[in-house]
Amino acid sequence: MLSNYHTHTTFCDGKNTAEEVVLSAIEKGFSAIGFSGHGYTPFDLRYCMQDMEGYIKEISRLKEKYNGQIEIYCGVEEDAFSYVKRSDFDYLIGSSHYFCVKNKYYSIDSSKELFGEGLEVFDNDELKLSEAYYSTFVSYIRDRKPDIVGHFDIITKFDEICEQRFLNNNKYYEIAEKYLKIAADEDVIFEVNTGAMSRGIRTSPYLGERLLHVLKKKDGK
């Protein structure tokens, strides 16, 4: 059964309209497609949805138009620093795309250059950064309990194309595994996200293999 629930469109930073995505999914034999536009983040307008009402209306139209051909869900990818009205959506992906230090936001995944700026705030210490990222994200997960946790270990995104700081660092894994175990106790679903693989940035998904083994031992979802 083919399905996908982490899908972006031209309502945020995707390249295709929602209807183009639906038609492609039908052509490929998908049984379900879930849209998860980036929720509004007032501190960064580069990639988020600025017409959430229009987004909800369009996905509703597509549900009706393609009823019987494919199941369509209207979800949202909420950032840990900017909550949405949860009742407006069929499901919620909870993700963390930023570091926030002294009320300034630093992007984690937009580019390796912006990630580097965030790293500098932590004195170029990947362990300080990891502790800050995971503690903040897991606090959000415990508070919000999203239906799905998005790309939990996204701070490792550029590790294969830059100086390796995470994926070969046992001290990093001690931090990541500690917080993954805490988050898994919240009975949330963790996605396996291959977005960076499709862009040629990584050869492995989030969660990475080592963390997937930890999640399995925790009997996580």
Side-chain angles (χ1 to χ4, degrees):
M1 182 175 70
L2 290 173
S3 59
N4 182 66
Y5 300 95
H6 193 143
T7 313
H8 299 308
T9 71
T10 50
F11 277 101
C12 55
D13 60 346
K15 295 181 179 179
N16 296 90
T17 67
E19 188 155 16
E20 286 171 339
V21 171
V22 169
L23 291 172
S24 180
I26 292 172
E27 180 186 3
K28 292 174 172 61
F30 276 58
S31 61
I33 188 75
F35 291 96
S36 57
H38 285 290
Y40 184 71
T41 49
F43 49 83
D44 185 359
L45 302 179
R46 293 173 304 155
Y47 81 105
C48 66
M49 291 190 292
Q50 298 183 49
D51 182 14
M52 294 179 71
E53 184 177 341
Y55 166 75
I56 293 168
K57 183 177 180 180
E58 174 63 2
I59 304 307
S60 178
R61 181 187 74 84
L62 295 173
K63 284 184 181 183
E64 183 175 349
K65 181 174 180 179
Y66 294 99
N67 182 37
Q69 297 183 62
I70 189 171
E71 295 178 13
I72 298 174
Y73 298 94
C74 183
V76 64
E77 184 177 8
E78 174 183 81
D79 189 81
F81 290 102
S82 185
Y83 290 10
V84 302
K85 186 180 177 183
R86 191 166 185 165
S87 59
D88 285 343
F89 302 96
D90 295 328
Y91 66 95
L92 180 73
I93 297 177
S95 300
S96 184
H97 299 94
Y98 300 94
F99 309 112
C100 184
V101 181
K102 296 180 180 180
N103 294 318
K104 183 174 180 179
Y105 294 88
Y106 299 88
S107 175
I108 292 172
D109 62 325
S110 294
S111 70
K112 59 185 180 182
E113 290 78 18
L114 289 175
F115 180 81
E117 290 181 15
L119 186 60
E120 287 178 6
V121 173
F122 294 95
D123 303 316
N124 288 308
D125 186 331
E126 64 272 6
L127 300 182
K128 286 183 182 179
L129 178 149
S130 300
E131 182 69 35
Y133 167 75
Y134 282 117
S135 62
T136 301
F137 193 14
V138 171
S139 291
Y140 159 80
I141 292 168
R142 297 182 78 178
D143 175 60
R144 195 66 163 155
K145 293 181 174 56
D147 301 297
I148 301 168
V149 173
H151 39 59
F152 182 75
D153 52 341
I154 197 170
I155 59 170
T156 67
K157 177 173 181 175
F158 301 111
D159 218 43
E160 293 186 35
I161 61 172
C162 299
E163 179 185 356
Q164 289 211 344
R165 293 179 174 270
F166 302 101
L167 299 178
N168 291 320
N169 187 335
N170 284 327
K171 291 189 179 296
Y172 156 73
Y173 277 111
E174 289 176 7
I175 296 170
E177 290 171 12
K178 175 181 70 174
Y179 283 107
L180 177 59
K181 290 174 182 177
I182 296 170
D185 286 337
E186 298 301 318
D187 198 35
V188 291
I189 297 170
F190 292 81
E191 70 171 1
V192 175
N193 185 308
T194 61
M197 295 173 69
S198 70
R199 297 178 182 90
I201 299 171
R202 292 176 61 98
T203 58
S204 60
Y206 324 106
L207 297 162
E209 183 177 357
R210 183 162 168 174
L211 294 185
L212 281 172
H213 281 294
V214 172
L215 187 64
K216 179 172 171 50
K217 287 180 181 177
K218 284 285 293 181
D219 202 25
K221 295 180 182 178

